[in-house]
Amino acid sequence: MQDTRRPVWIKVVAGMLGGLLCAHLLATAVFVGPANAAKETLGSSLTSYMQPFFQQEWSLFAPTPISVEYSLQVRGWYDADTPADWVDATAVEVEGNILHSLAPSRAGIVTRRLAGNMRKQHRLVTAEERTVLAGDYHENAWARMKERMLASDDHSSDARISYVLRLDRAMAAYATQFAWAWWGRDAGIEYVEFKIVETRAPRFDNRADDPTITTREFGRRPLYQYDGQDTEAFADAIGRFRS
C-alpha cells in the first residue's frame, strides 16, 4: 500500500503560512477598526506595514462617505426656572461604548440613529410645526402638540405629524432615562429638554474650513417612560460608560 503521508516540511511550511495569514488578518482588522489601545500601541509600525500595499480603499464601498455627524444633547429641569447643565448623551455613548473597543455593541448608535431620524423629519415639516416642537409642554405634551400642528391650514400630512410626534416622545423617553441615570432618580428632575446638534464636514475643496454646526431645538417635555423599560439596566449602562 502506497504511503500517502505528507512530508513533515510541508506541514511546517503550511503551519508557518497559516500563522502569517492569521497575523496579517489581525493586523488588517486592527488597522481598519475604530480607535483602540492596540492601534495606538503599534502606531507607526502598523501603519508602515499596511501602507501602501495593504491599505483598504474604502471609496470602493462608500462613493459618498458620511459627512454629517448627529448628536443628541439632554438636560433636566428641576422646575420651570431651574435647568441642569446640557450633557452630550451621544458623546457619552461613543466614549464609553465605542472608543478603544474592537467590537463595540450597537448600544453606541442609539442616540445617533434617533437624532438622525428626527433630523430628516424636522427638515420636512413646516416652519410653524418646527415652532410647535420648540415649545415647552409640561403636561399632555403630545396631544397638545398634535392639536396645534393640525390647526394650521397648510400642515403636513397626518402620517408625518404622527411619526414626528412618535420620535419626539421617544427622545423624551430616552432623555428621561438619561436624566435619571445621570443626575439620579431622586435628584428632583421634573422635566427634560433635548436638542439635536448636527456637525457637517466641509466639502473636500474647502477642507480647511471649520465644520458647519446646526442645532435643532426642542422644548421641555414631561418625564416619560414606556411600559417595560428597564430603568436599572439603563442606569447601569450609563454608569459603565461614565467610568
Side-chain angles (χ1 to χ4, degrees), residues 65-73 88 90-91 94 98 111-113 115-116 119 196-201 211-215:
I66 296 173
S67 59
V68 183
E69 181 178 79
Y70 307 110
S71 65
L72 180 67
Q73 297 191 13
D88 190 334
T90 300
V94 171
I98 296 180
T111 55
R112 280 183 171 177
R113 181 69 58 83
R119 177 257 185 185
I196 296 172
V197 178
E198 52 185 89
T199 304
R200 182 177 295 275
T212 301
I213 298 177
T214 302
T215 301

Side-chain angles (χ1 to χ4, degrees), residues 159-198:
R160 185 178 303 283
I161 289 175
S162 295
Y163 183 46
V164 166
L165 294 179
R166 286 202 304 272
L167 289 173
D168 189 280
R169 191 194 303 264
M171 290 198 296
Y174 183 95
T176 298
Q177 296 292 329
F178 187 88
W180 286 341
W182 193 266
W183 290 286
R185 186 76 180 260
D186 300 324
I189 297 295
E190 295 291 335
Y191 313 108
V192 290
E193 185 181 7
F194 42 87
K195 61 183 178 181
I196 296 172
V197 178
E198 52 185 89

Side-chain angles (χ1 to χ4, degrees), residues 16 30-31 54 74 91-92 99 116 119-120 124 131 137 156 160 174 194 201 204 209 215:
M16 293 175 62
V30 173
F31 183 74
F54 301 121
V74 174
V92 173
L99 192 63
R119 177 257 185 185
K120 294 176 185 177
L124 296 175
T131 300
Y137 302 89
S156 301
R160 185 178 303 283
Y174 183 95
F194 42 87
F204 183 79
D209 295 347
T215 301

